[in-house]
Amino acid sequence: MSSVEFESRAVVDRVGTSFVAGPLIAAALAATSIVVGLLWDISWHRSIGRDTFWTPAHMAIYAGGLIAGLAAAVLVLRASFGPPAVAGIAVSVGPLKGPIGAWVMVWGAFAMLASAPFDDWWHAAYGLDVKVISPPHAVLAAGMAGIAVGAMLLSAAAQNRAGEDRTARWGLLHLYASGVLLTLAASFLVEYTFPLHQHSGVFYAVTAGVFPLFLVAGAVSSRHRFPATLAAAVYMALMAAMDWILPLFPAEPRLAPIYNPITHMVPFCFPLLLVPPALAIDLVLVRSRGWRDRSRSLLLGVAFIAVFLAVQWPFALFQMTPASRNWFFLGDRYWSYWFHPDVPWRFGFAPVPGPLTAMSLLLAVVLAIASARAGLAIGRRLARVRR
């Protein structure tokens, strides 16, 4: 690269990083509003049932989508009609230009807002959701994921363009976006991750197939030390905060049948212990630098399962004991109003979907390896994003 080209690229990087600063912070706040609103909404359904569309939880979700969409629109307009240096960090879509992350956020905001009338009609026609993922919720989930991914792309590009003195700032924002995306993924697995399922094969298969991808992708694309650990800490902090704040608000079920009378918002269970396996991922990534993906993903998958099993299995046992039945560990507070208090596994493990066996553990290991392999590929692409 000639000195002129190098200087031109430096100008583009400097101007481009300054150009995305405000909208990127707005995108991070929007993603936080979305994930907080989503967790609040799930708790609302589990505490009160189907309510009006205009609940505070719904407003937090859609406000996040609106803020993200406006931030992305600002980026597109400024890149399209701004100085040439700004256009240098953008990609063209028709006559308009914008950073890749902004385009993803525009799509995500559109999907979220389009899902609102669909969701309202669905509840009017079919009533309470039996599952977290209904057709309108699937559209909404895709939109929310688009905004979180867009924020992660924007922060990755800002980190990759920044000079050494500014990498830490944008790198931390990138890890925060990674942690928010991890929390979003975890919220859609809630039906499989309650304590009464945490000794089942399905629990380990689901978590192994999802979490390594997000942890590895965020870690490989980051320039910080212990990136996966920090992203997992963001997840645990967000989940724990919602767990401890939600029960402070009064709530009363409005739909029958009501088997478990409650007086306050129902929290989730204590967050999954993802920090220890995330730390194992960080250490493996450092020690295996330069290895082929096949060997690396094998070691990453095995390490994730080994450490996660070692910490989550005994912690699941602890959650069944009287010592966990308090405001901190929530061992007796995460049951929805339709949960019958007389079921034999109220303080035990449910017989369905079945216990962890050698075959289901092997499946979990295979899924963790495949998930880690995908995370390596995605992380390398994120590490090269500059637009």
Side-chain angles (χ1 to χ4, degrees):
M1 180 184 295
S2 69
S3 60
V4 175
E5 289 174 328
F6 181 82
E7 185 177 342
S8 175
R9 179 167 176 175
V11 170
V12 169
D13 286 350
R14 184 173 63 255
V15 173
T17 300
S18 173
F19 156 71
V20 301
L24 178 51
I25 292 171
L29 292 174
T32 304
S33 178
I34 287 169
V35 79
V36 167
L38 174 64
L39 295 172
W40 191 3
D41 186 49
I42 295 173
S43 175
W44 197 287
H45 280 261
R46 297 175 59 226
S47 309
I48 298 171
R50 173 59 183 162
D51 206 347
T52 170
F53 176 80
W54 305 99
T55 62
H58 278 178
M59 294 306 97
I61 293 172
Y62 290 105
L66 184 60
I67 292 169
L70 291 174
V74 167
L75 284 172
V76 169
L77 291 174
R78 290 174 64 185
S80 300
F81 304 105
V86 171
I89 66 157
V91 295
S92 298
V93 176
L96 299 177
K97 296 180 179 180
I100 297 172
W103 288 119
V104 175
M105 285 169 56
V106 166
W107 177 88
F110 177 79
M112 282 187 64
L113 297 177
S115 74
F118 185 23
D119 187 47
D120 199 38
W121 170 83
W122 183 272
H123 283 295
Y126 299 105
L128 179 68
D129 293 313
V130 237
K131 298 287 183 181
V132 172
I133 298 293
S134 61
H137 285 180
V139 177
L140 177 63
M144 291 188 291
I147 287 173
V149 169
M152 196 172 176
L153 284 165
L154 283 175
S155 57
Q159 168 196 255
N160 298 340
R161 288 192 305 265
E164 290 300 323
D165 57 330
R166 294 181 296 169
T167 296
R169 173 187 175 188
W170 299 113
L172 283 175
L173 198 54
H174 175 57
L175 285 177
Y176 179 75
S178 178
V180 169
L181 189 58
L182 181 68
T183 309
L184 190 62
S187 66
F188 283 99
L189 302 181
V190 65
E191 294 177 53
Y192 306 97
T193 57
F194 286 119
L196 69 164
H197 297 311
Q198 289 180 11
H199 277 194
S200 71
V202 169
F203 168 74
Y204 284 99
V206 167
T207 52
V210 173
F211 293 133
L213 185 153
F214 291 97
L215 291 170
V216 173
V220 171
S221 59
S222 173
R223 298 187 181 184
H224 270 273
R225 297 182 64 190
F226 304 107
T229 306
L230 291 174
V234 169
Y235 151 76
M236 290 197 69
L238 286 172
M239 288 296 296
M242 294 301 292
D243 277 339
W244 297 330
I245 291 171
L246 283 170
L248 300 178
F249 293 91
E252 187 176 329
R254 297 180 183 176
L255 288 179
I258 301 170
Y259 295 120
N260 180 37
I262 59 172
T263 57
H264 291 77
M265 296 290 287
V266 176
F268 298 86
C269 57
F270 195 82
L272 299 176
L273 304 182
L274 291 184
V275 168
L279 177 59
I281 284 174
D282 282 331
L283 295 175
V284 169
L285 285 172
V286 171
R287 295 298 181 89
S288 64
R289 192 170 288 138
W291 291 19
R292 293 184 176 181
D293 277 5
R294 183 179 301 175
S295 303
R296 261 187 135 185
S297 56
L298 175 64
L299 191 55
L300 285 165
V302 171
F304 175 85
I305 287 294
V307 177
F308 188 53
L309 183 63
V311 295
Q312 196 65 44
W313 186 276
F315 187 69
L317 288 171
F318 166 75
Q319 289 179 98
M320 301 302 167
T321 66
S324 73
R325 297 167 199 171
N326 50 58
W327 69 270
F328 188 87
F329 290 112
L330 310 160
D332 59 347
R333 307 188 184 192
Y334 62 88
W335 296 301
S336 309
Y337 69 83
W338 62 79
F339 188 87
H340 204 292
D342 295 331
V343 296
W345 54 86
R346 183 177 175 88
F347 293 111
F349 299 107
V352 177
L356 180 67
T357 63
M359 287 302 296
S360 58
L361 180 58
L362 178 61
L363 174 63
V365 171
V366 171
L367 289 172
I369 293 169
S371 184
R373 182 72 176 266
L376 287 171
I378 293 171
R380 277 198 303 272
R381 289 182 177 273
L382 283 171
R384 294 195 297 266
V385 172
R386 299 183 71 87
R387 291 175 176 264

